[in-house]
Amino acid sequence: MTATKDARSTPTTRSSAGRWLHDHALLIVSLAIFLACLGGMIASGLQVYNDDQLAHGSAAVPLGEYLRSGDFIEAMFENWESEFLQMGAYVVLTIFLFQKGSSESKPIGQRIPQDEDPRSAKDDPDAPWPVRRGGLALVLYENSLAIFFFLLFGLSLWLHAVGGAEAYSAEQAEHGLPGVTTLEYLGTAQFWFESMQNWQSEFLAVAAIVGASVYLRQRGSPESKPVATPHHETGD
């Protein structure tokens, strides 16, 4: 009994690889799910694309050709565009806007560490390099998260337009109509329909988590307030 108790009380030692996986599991699992869903999108999209090709009397295409097609590029980046817009807008909106009782809002009327001016830490040897450097490097760094998401949004929006223009032009050609350039496609109702149908769902999801986190809880999740916290308390 004593030997068994001692063995059970001995802490388990993780290997360095195991500890790295444990410490980065949220990112790794999210990327793994992304890759699995991307693979499913490619496989099913290729089938749908080739079914449409055959229905119109054209030959089926191999995977490589499908991945270069306007249909695939438009479908891929139409969705990425809305995700990056949502995240960039959420990062910026939560700087200035509040929701009483929500775990997604900063506390009302209180300063939090994220509000502090990093210039006061310029002599801290452990501070990130831009903080110690100051000037333009710090200005860019202290806004780098929003900049990152809006750059990805802009790139995705452009690639959505590139792929969409190709797919739209191919469909126009089937009806004996002229195609469009990428810039012309940006002015079509089709482009904005594709964008808005995704944007509206992203901001609905934001509103849902902001509002639901006032009254609902998920034990163990940092996206939720502690289960016993009163509804009126705002922030973590």
Side-chain angles (χ1 to χ4, degrees):
M1 290 293 292
T2 303
T4 302
K5 182 178 180 180
D6 291 343
R8 288 178 178 177
S9 63
T10 302
T12 301
T13 302
R14 289 194 182 95
S15 66
S16 58
R19 178 166 294 278
W20 188 89
L21 290 171
H22 175 271
D23 292 348
H24 299 85
L26 184 58
L27 176 61
I28 292 169
V29 171
S30 296
L31 289 174
I33 295 172
F34 159 70
L35 291 174
C37 293
L38 178 60
M41 173 189 171
I42 291 171
S44 57
L46 176 62
Q47 182 65 52
V48 170
Y49 185 82
N50 279 333
D51 286 347
D52 187 64
Q53 288 284 98
L54 295 173
H56 288 82
S58 300
V61 302
L63 176 61
E65 185 174 339
Y66 170 65
L67 294 179
R68 295 189 298 272
S69 70
D71 286 70
F72 175 76
I73 294 171
E74 181 275 321
M76 168 80 82
F77 291 103
E78 170 192 333
N79 286 280
W80 287 21
E81 163 199 320
S82 61
E83 299 295 339
F84 293 133
L85 173 63
Q86 177 206 51
M87 295 307 298
Y90 191 58
V91 167
V92 173
L93 291 175
T94 51
I95 299 172
F96 309 104
L97 304 180
F98 303 90
Q99 175 56 54
K100 184 175 181 179
S102 177
S103 63
E104 299 296 311
S105 170
K106 293 193 295 185
I108 299 173
Q110 300 178 33
R111 290 185 66 81
I112 61 174
Q114 289 88 340
D115 293 325
E116 300 300 326
D117 190 339
R119 288 155 187 80
S120 61
K122 66 179 181 179
D123 296 324
D124 183 352
D126 293 326
W129 172 82
V131 176
R132 291 181 279 113
R133 173 74 175 181
L136 179 60
L138 177 54
V139 172
L140 293 173
Y141 184 67
E142 65 185 349
N143 297 285
S144 57
L145 187 59
I147 291 171
F148 172 72
F149 282 121
F150 283 121
L151 284 176
L152 290 176
F153 163 68
L155 177 61
S156 297
L157 185 145
W158 179 250
L159 290 172
H160 166 199
V162 169
E166 181 181 330
Y168 184 81
S169 294
E171 185 175 348
Q172 289 286 92
E174 291 178 0
H175 295 86
L177 299 172
V180 295
T181 65
T182 299
L183 288 176
E184 288 171 339
Y185 186 64
L186 286 169
T188 64
Q190 178 68 25
F191 172 80
W192 291 106
F193 171 72
E194 292 166 352
S195 293
M196 293 297 176
Q197 69 176 334
N198 286 286
W199 295 6
Q200 56 86 20
S201 64
E202 299 300 335
F203 285 98
L204 175 62
V206 169
I209 185 62
V210 169
S213 66
V214 176
Y215 303 104
L216 306 181
R217 308 286 188 268
Q218 180 56 58
R219 184 178 178 185
S221 174
E223 297 304 311
S224 167
K225 294 188 294 187
V227 177
T229 301
H231 294 327
H232 65 81
E233 289 195 13
T234 306
D236 295 334

